[in-house]
């Protein structure tokens, strides 16, 4: 038998060269970059000379050989270049993977072995998870690694990559398994081409654990696969793999890969993309240092990203403009608008106007953003009425104002305390039927608050509630207005409403406002309760309010206020919330070996539902968060990832939900499925489909654990159906069962959350593998009517 070692050199006719190729057509490359076209290729695998003889033994007889053996389960505003696609189909062909050598079937000495291998190659791809594993388990007495390798390669040849992955996963669990770098690379590359990013990533990490540097092809394909992931954290993962490709492997990626990643980094709106500047600069650095051609759009993208930064790096922008000119590229209108934006943020009127004149000389259509930059420049220089003149000039030029234009001019007029003008602009904006009115309402309310126009502020608050989804900032401004107006009773109602509404919540600022309100009304008993709550949540207490509270209590012959020593302990609500999030995929890790544990809260940036949930969880677990995670008063600045402090209280949950760092289902999980737990599980890892059905993703599920959950739900009169897709189980509630489930969790679901989850249910995988195979043979408790 020919050796299957990746370093062996058998005859060329036996060699299976893994040249990568796309399994389907993909999108065009990054912008109109002048990348030399790559010719499509076919997989250069030698034509299989498999002769499948008639097999006398049937499936039942093969399986019967191991009936007494234990069956093993299988391992569980638009961006700058909005309309361009991410990657070329040819990019998946860009690099070669290591050569994998396998023997031909007729070279095997035993006829019975050839017959059985041929039969397995024919039958296995047709079966799903459990039957697939059962058939392989029946072959343990005779099958070797060389035999299983041949079967896996055969599955790749017929483009059944999932079957190849299952064969490889089964091989890993056998006592005779030896790590085969070439085979792992081949399977990983094929999975990556098919978009199975989690499985491909798993195999890449397996190579690293073996002390091997993954092949350039694996890094390349996985980066492109993550960029092609429509939702979730695909871009973040793509950047991680790209960085590892350069730093760990020392590889020099092709220009097309650099361009594809850069294109993705600048594909979001300016405010969302500005955090990608560091990674974009790294991509640019790699293009330059490897002597590749820097395209015009890369210069334009970097200047665009720099123009959105809070602190403008004028020297860097000037250097990029010089390099762009030296490369022979002219500055487009988009680049000039980016330069105007950078100048306007610093109030540099002369430079802004000079750039404006350059745009006018082009004779092309003037973008509305250029007018916004001029208004911003004059406002920052103190000439706010000049900004209004520019806005009116824009309308005279028959350039319809957009949402950003209205936001900016209303903000400028509100800061200038031009009440009549701001109100007129707000009415005009509202009548235009444009969306995103909230920033304009907030600017108007801040103006009313500064001018003590509390009645108008309350009216604006009511209008905003009718037109927009409320947030904490809106309620906090209204609460401040009520306290300043002396209406403490109404302020108390609003404060209680904020605290009860999970989508709003309270924070340091709102608690200090309410504390000041109670003190001003000399209601020290209620003030003391607010103070106690603030101590428990570790909110910073205003020193002036604390002195007044201490003085008031002393006059009432009570002891002076002292900071209350708080014993850190999770309350019942927090425990149930945490269980629900852990079922949905939240991670816990050890701070040190056998030390206290940390909870890592991670939410999807492109999910409106997760955006709302992250604010709620940040408020509910505020006292447990690290100081860095607690330093955000503005909810819009709360990060999508934050962690708790290390604490022994989290050790119980770590022991129950994780085993050797991998998620598992606790043995007692069926006892913890309260309505609140189910509600947070649904909000974090579930969806309501347009059909009305509800599905929940199980993180770290095993068949036994899922069965306990299903049986527990059935005992609560919530029959469900289970399917397995890829590495995850999904529990579904259909028809009337979905209605019953919703009635159970509705009291604990955040206001307005259902509509958000329904809108996002079109991609229930949330960036995970969308495996075409599903295991319908497991745990159908009460689901068949």
């Amino acid at each position: 038998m020919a050796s299957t070692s990746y370093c062996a050199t058998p005859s060329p006719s036996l060699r299976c060269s893994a040249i990568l190729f796309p399994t389907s057509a993909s999108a065009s490359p990054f912008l109109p970059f002048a990348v030399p076209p790559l010719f499509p290729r076919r997989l250069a695998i030698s034509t299989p000379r498999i002769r499948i003889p008639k097999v006398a033994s049937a499936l039942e007889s093969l399986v019967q050989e191991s009936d007494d053996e234990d069956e093993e389960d299988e391992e569980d505003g638009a961006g700058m270049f909005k309309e361009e696609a991410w990657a070329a189909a040819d990019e998946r062909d860009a690099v070669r993977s290591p050569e994998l050598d396998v023997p031909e079937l007729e070279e095997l000495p035993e006829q019975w072995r050839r017959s059985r291998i041929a039969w397995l190659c024919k039958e296995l791809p047709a079966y799903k998870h459990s039957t697939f594993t059962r058939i392989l388990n029946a072959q343990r007495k005779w099958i070797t690694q060389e035999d299983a390798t041949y079967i896996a390669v055969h599955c790749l040849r017929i483009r059944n990559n999932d079957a190849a992955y299952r064969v490889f996963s089964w091989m890993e669990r056998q006592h005779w398994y030896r790590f085969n770098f070439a085979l792992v690379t081949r399977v990983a590359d094929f999975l990556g081409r098919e978009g199975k990013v989690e499985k491909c990533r798993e195999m890449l990490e397996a190579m690293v654990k073996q002390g091997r540097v993954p092949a350039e092809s694996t890094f390349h394909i996985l980066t492109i696969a993550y960029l092609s992931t429509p939702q979730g954290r695909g871009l973040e993962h793509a950047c991680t793999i790209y960085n590892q490709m350069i730093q760990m492997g020392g590889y020099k990626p092709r220009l097309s890969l650099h361009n594809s990643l850069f294109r993705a980094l600048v594909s979001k709106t300016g405010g969302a993309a500005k955090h990608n500047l560091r990674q974009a600069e790294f991509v640019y650095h790699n293009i330059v240092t490897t002597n590749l051609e820097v395209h015009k759009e890369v210069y334009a993208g970097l200047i665009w990203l720099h123009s959105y930064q809070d602190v403008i790096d004028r020297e860097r922008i000037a250097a990029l403009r010089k390099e762009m000119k030296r490369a022979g590229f002219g500055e487009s209108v988009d680049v000039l608008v980016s330069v105007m934006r950078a100048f306007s943020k610093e109030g540099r009127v002369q430079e802004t106007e000079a750039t404006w004149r350059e745009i006018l000389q082009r004779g092309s259509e003037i973008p509305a953003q250029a007018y916004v930059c001029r208004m911003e420049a004059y406002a920052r220089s103190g000439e706010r009425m000049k900004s209004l003149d520019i806005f009116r000039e824009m309308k005279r030029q028959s350039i319809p104002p957009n949402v950003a234009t209205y936001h900016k001019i209303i903000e400028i007029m509100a800061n200038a305390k031009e009440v009549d003008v701001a109100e007129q602009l707000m009415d005009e904006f509202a009548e235009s039927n444009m969306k995103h009115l909230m920033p304009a309402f907030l600017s108007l309310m801040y103006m009313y608050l500064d001018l003590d126009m509390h009645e108008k502020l309350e009216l604006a608050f009511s209008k905003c509630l009718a037109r927009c989804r409320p947030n904490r900032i809106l309620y906090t401004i209204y609460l401040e207005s009520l306290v300043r107006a002396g209406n403490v009773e109404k302020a108390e109602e609003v404060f209680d409403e904020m605290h009860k509404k999970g989508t709003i919540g309270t924070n340091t600022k709102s608690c200090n406002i309410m504390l000041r309100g109670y003190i001003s009304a000399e209601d020290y008993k209620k003030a003391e309760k607010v103070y106690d709550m603030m101590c428990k949540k570790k909110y910073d207490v205003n020193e002036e309010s604390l002195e007044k509270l201490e003085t008031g209590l002393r006059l009432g012959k009570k002891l002076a206020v002292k900071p209350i020593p708080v014993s850190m302990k999770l309350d019942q609500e927090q425990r149930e919330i945490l269980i629900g999030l852990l079922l949905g995929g939240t991670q816990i890790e050890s701070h040190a070996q056998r030390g206290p544990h940390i909870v890592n809260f991670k939410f999807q940036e492109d999910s409106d539902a997760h955006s709302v949930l992250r604010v709620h969880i940040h408020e509910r677990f505020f006292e447990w968060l690290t100081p860095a995670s607690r330093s955000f008063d503005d909810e819009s600045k709360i990060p999508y990832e934050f962690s708790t402090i290390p604490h022994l209280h989290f050790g119980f949950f770590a022991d129950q939900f994780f085993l050797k760092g991998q998620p598992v289902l606790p043995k007692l999980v069926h006892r913890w499925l309260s309505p609140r737990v189910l509600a947070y599980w649904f909000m974090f890892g579930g969806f309501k489909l347009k059909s009305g059905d509800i599905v929940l993703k199980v993180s770290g599920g095993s068949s036994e654990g899922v069965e306990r959950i299903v049986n527990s739900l059935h005992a609560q009169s919530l029959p469900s159906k289970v399917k397995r897709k890829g590495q995850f189980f999904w529990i579904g509630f259909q028809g009337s069962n979905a209605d019953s489930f919703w009635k159970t969790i509705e009291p604990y679901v955040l206001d307005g959350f259902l509509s958000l989850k329904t809108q996002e249910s079109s991609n229930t995988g949330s960036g995970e593998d969308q495996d075409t195979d599903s295991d319908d043979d497991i745990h159908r408790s009460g689901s068949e009517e």
Side-chain angles (χ1 to χ4, degrees):
M1 180 184 297
S3 173
T4 59
S5 171
Y6 64 87
C7 59
T9 56
S11 61
S13 62
L14 305 182
R15 193 167 295 161
C16 298
S17 178
I19 298 179
L20 305 178
F21 73 103
T23 57
S24 61
S26 184
S28 59
F30 171 82
L31 295 169
F33 288 168
V35 182
L38 298 175
F39 295 101
R41 308 167 187 169
R42 299 181 62 85
L43 182 65
I45 297 180
S46 57
T47 304
R49 300 193 300 271
I50 300 176
R51 292 190 289 270
I52 303 180
K54 294 182 180 179
V55 183
S57 58
L59 169 64
E60 290 77 8
S61 61
L62 281 176
V63 175
Q64 189 176 3
E65 293 180 10
S66 62
D67 279 345
D68 297 332
E69 297 183 25
D70 294 334
E71 179 179 341
E72 293 187 23
D73 293 327
E74 187 184 13
E75 288 187 8
D76 302 49
M80 189 172 184
F81 311 115
K82 181 179 180 181
E83 300 301 328
E84 298 295 334
W86 281 358
D90 299 332
E91 290 180 16
R92 301 171 188 258
D93 262 336
V95 287
R96 291 173 177 264
S97 59
E99 199 169 76
L100 174 62
D101 301 321
V102 292
E104 294 300 335
L105 190 61
E106 59 266 23
E107 295 180 0
L108 300 181
E110 302 98 338
Q111 172 63 31
W112 66 268
R113 184 180 296 274
R114 293 200 299 268
S115 299
R116 289 200 169 187
I117 293 176
W119 183 87
L120 288 172
C121 289
K122 179 181 178 181
E123 295 293 330
L124 277 177
Y127 290 99
K128 307 300 180 183
H129 295 275
S130 55
T131 307
F132 193 103
T133 304
R134 188 181 179 201
I135 294 174
L136 284 175
N137 286 342
Q139 320 308 316
R140 286 176 176 167
K141 294 180 180 179
W142 63 270
I143 200 169
T144 65
Q145 176 155 342
E146 289 76 11
D147 301 332
T149 299
Y150 182 89
I151 297 170
V153 172
H154 171 80
C155 293
L156 295 178
R157 284 171 171 170
I158 63 175
R159 309 298 182 258
N160 195 328
N161 303 325
D162 288 320
Y165 174 78
R166 293 193 196 102
V167 173
F168 173 78
S169 298
W170 182 84
M171 289 172 59
E172 282 189 307
R173 299 193 293 271
Q174 308 312 309
H175 65 87
W176 39 255
Y177 174 73
R178 303 183 309 277
F179 182 77
N180 187 331
F181 178 71
L183 176 62
V184 177
T185 300
R186 175 78 68 83
V187 176
D189 290 355
F190 275 60
L191 289 169
R193 283 195 224 90
E194 197 176 354
K196 302 297 178 68
V197 291
E198 295 302 323
K199 291 177 181 177
C200 182
R201 179 75 174 270
E202 176 186 333
M203 304 195 78
L204 181 142
E205 292 175 351
M207 299 180 209
V208 175
K209 289 180 181 178
Q210 291 289 333
R212 301 298 299 270
V213 177
E216 183 178 358
S217 63
T218 308
F219 283 118
H220 185 108
I221 292 172
L222 186 53
T223 302
I224 295 299
Y226 271 126
L227 290 179
S228 302
T229 303
Q231 289 188 345
R233 300 168 58 200
L235 177 58
E236 178 186 341
H237 290 311
C239 292
T240 300
I241 300 301
Y242 171 86
N243 295 344
Q244 289 179 346
M245 181 180 186
I246 296 171
Q247 296 167 353
M248 178 194 299
Y251 298 119
K252 297 179 180 180
R254 291 197 171 197
L255 179 60
S256 58
L257 183 63
H258 294 301
N259 289 340
S260 295
L261 182 59
F262 191 91
R263 158 69 182 85
L265 291 169
V266 297
S267 63
K268 295 183 178 181
T269 57
K274 69 178 184 180
H275 303 294
N276 297 334
L277 175 62
R278 185 175 180 181
Q279 182 68 45
E281 287 280 12
F282 182 63
V283 174
Y284 170 78
H285 169 77
N286 291 322
I287 295 175
V288 173
T289 54
T290 51
N291 296 319
L292 297 174
E293 181 183 358
V294 182
H295 291 275
K296 177 181 179 180
E297 289 75 12
V298 173
Y299 291 116
L302 281 175
I303 295 173
W304 182 75
L305 286 173
H306 273 284
S307 71
Y308 273 101
Q309 301 304 305
D310 296 329
V311 179
I312 301 298
D313 188 345
R314 285 184 287 174
E315 294 181 359
R316 180 56 180 157
I317 293 177
L320 288 170
R321 295 181 72 184
K322 288 181 180 179
E323 291 176 20
M324 188 175 183
K325 185 177 181 180
R326 191 161 48 243
F329 298 124
E331 294 180 332
S332 65
V333 172
D334 288 336
V335 173
L336 293 177
V337 170
S338 297
V339 174
M340 282 186 67
R341 185 184 300 110
F343 287 148
S344 65
K345 283 191 171 184
E346 297 181 327
R348 298 165 64 189
V349 175
Q350 292 183 354
E351 291 88 340
T352 303
E353 287 292 351
T355 310
W356 165 259
R357 287 190 290 272
E358 285 188 54
I359 295 177
L360 291 178
Q361 291 173 2
R362 301 295 175 91
S364 57
E365 183 178 352
I366 302 175
Q369 185 62 38
Y371 285 96
V372 175
C373 294
R374 293 181 69 203
M375 289 189 287
E376 172 84 3
Y378 281 105
R380 288 185 178 271
S381 66
E383 302 180 56
R384 295 190 175 94
M385 298 313 295
K386 178 64 175 177
S387 299
L388 181 61
D389 293 338
I390 294 173
F391 177 78
R392 289 171 177 167
E393 175 191 342
M394 178 182 178
K395 298 178 71 175
R396 286 195 301 269
Q397 296 293 331
S398 299
I399 299 177
N402 56 16
V403 173
T405 308
Y406 273 113
H407 285 174
K408 180 56 62 178
I409 192 60
I410 292 174
E411 176 191 350
I412 292 172
M413 291 298 101
N415 291 337
K417 306 299 186 292
E418 295 289 340
V419 178
D420 294 337
V421 177
E423 289 177 343
Q424 180 183 356
L425 291 169
M426 186 69 226
D427 292 339
E428 182 182 321
F429 185 27
E431 291 172 1
S432 67
N433 293 324
M434 295 182 187
K435 296 182 179 180
H436 305 297
L437 300 174
M438 176 64 77
F441 271 118
L442 294 180
S443 296
L444 208 62
M445 291 174 65
Y446 275 125
M447 178 185 68
Y448 290 144
L449 184 64
D450 292 339
L451 298 174
D452 292 330
M453 303 173 71
H454 302 295
E455 293 182 0
K456 286 195 172 186
L457 189 148
E458 185 170 9
L459 181 61
F461 175 78
S462 301
K463 288 182 179 180
C464 186
L465 289 182
R467 298 289 300 272
C468 309
R469 191 175 72 200
N471 59 26
R472 187 185 296 165
I473 299 175
L474 180 72
Y475 270 87
T476 302
I477 297 173
Y478 183 44
L479 184 68
E480 176 69 31
S481 173
L482 292 172
V483 170
R484 289 189 186 183
N487 193 350
V488 179
E489 184 176 347
K490 179 67 175 177
E492 183 178 2
E493 294 178 6
V494 173
F495 184 77
D496 291 340
E497 183 181 353
M498 292 173 65
H499 190 69
K500 291 177 182 177
K501 281 189 175 182
T503 53
I504 305 299
T506 55
N507 60 358
T508 303
K509 189 172 184 178
S510 57
C511 287
N512 273 303
I513 292 172
M514 199 65 245
L515 178 63
R516 175 161 42 85
Y518 283 135
I519 292 174
S520 63
E522 298 183 355
D523 193 339
Y524 297 109
K525 185 176 182 180
K526 290 182 178 179
E528 191 174 14
K529 289 183 179 179
V530 174
Y531 172 76
D532 293 344
M533 183 186 74
M534 294 179 71
C535 289
K536 178 183 177 182
K537 300 293 288 183
K538 293 188 176 180
Y539 290 154
D540 295 329
V541 183
N542 182 275
E543 293 184 4
E544 183 179 352
S545 297
L546 186 60
E547 292 176 1
K548 291 181 179 179
L549 176 61
E550 186 175 10
T551 302
L553 293 177
R554 189 183 298 113
L555 292 175
K557 298 181 180 179
K558 292 190 66 173
L559 296 175
V561 175
K562 295 181 180 179
I564 300 175
V566 179
S567 176
M568 295 290 288
K569 186 177 181 181
L570 290 167
D571 57 35
Q572 183 63 27
E573 178 182 354
Q574 290 172 326
R575 292 173 67 87
E576 292 185 5
I577 291 174
L578 190 54
I579 291 172
L581 297 181
L582 288 168
L583 287 171
T586 294
Q587 300 291 312
I588 296 181
E589 62 183 32
S590 177
H591 178 62
Q593 189 174 8
R594 296 185 179 181
H597 288 81
I598 296 171
V599 181
N600 293 318
F601 297 106
K602 295 184 179 181
F603 302 93
Q604 298 175 18
E605 293 190 39
D606 57 357
S607 168
D608 290 337
H610 273 221
S611 179
V612 172
L613 185 61
R614 93 185 195 284
V615 176
H616 171 68
I617 297 301
H618 187 272
E619 185 264 329
R620 286 292 185 261
F621 286 85
F622 189 87
E623 68 271 27
W624 293 94
L625 303 181
T626 61
S629 299
R630 287 192 278 120
S631 59
F632 300 96
D633 290 332
D634 185 353
E635 65 183 54
S636 63
K637 296 181 180 179
I638 295 175
Y640 281 81
E641 296 185 17
F642 48 87
S643 304
T644 65
I645 57 174
H647 204 281
L648 294 175
H649 275 316
F650 300 124
F652 169 79
F653 298 96
D655 294 339
Q656 294 294 321
F657 284 91
F658 293 90
L659 178 63
K660 296 181 180 179
Q662 297 300 317
V664 295
L665 288 175
K667 293 182 178 180
L668 298 178
V669 66
H670 56 287
R671 299 185 182 180
W672 301 338
L673 300 179
S674 66
R676 180 181 277 115
V677 169
L678 295 175
Y680 281 88
W681 185 6
F682 165 75
M683 289 189 287
F684 186 73
F687 296 93
K688 186 166 187 179
L689 306 177
K690 293 182 179 179
S691 62
D693 298 343
I694 293 176
V695 292
L696 302 175
K697 184 177 75 172
V698 184
S699 178
S702 63
S703 56
E704 295 80 5
V706 173
E707 184 175 11
R708 285 193 290 269
I709 292 177
V710 171
N711 291 337
S712 176
L713 293 172
H714 185 67
Q716 300 180 46
S717 300
L718 298 173
S720 59
K721 185 175 181 179
V722 178
K723 281 191 175 183
R724 181 173 185 171
K725 286 191 174 184
Q727 302 178 27
F728 298 95
F729 289 96
W730 293 83
I731 299 178
F733 304 87
Q734 298 175 311
S736 59
N737 296 331
D739 296 335
S740 300
F741 180 81
W742 175 251
K743 290 179 181 178
T744 301
I745 68 173
E746 186 175 14
Y748 303 98
V749 175
L750 305 182
D751 296 337
F753 209 87
L754 178 60
S755 61
L756 298 175
K757 273 295 183 182
T758 302
Q759 292 171 5
E760 296 171 3
S761 62
S762 58
N763 186 353
T764 56
S766 300
E768 305 293 351
D769 291 341
Q770 297 299 299
D771 201 326
T772 56
D773 298 333
S774 59
D775 191 352
D776 293 331
D777 300 329
I778 51 176
H779 317 307
R780 297 171 177 267
S781 176
S783 60
E784 305 296 341
E785 300 293 344

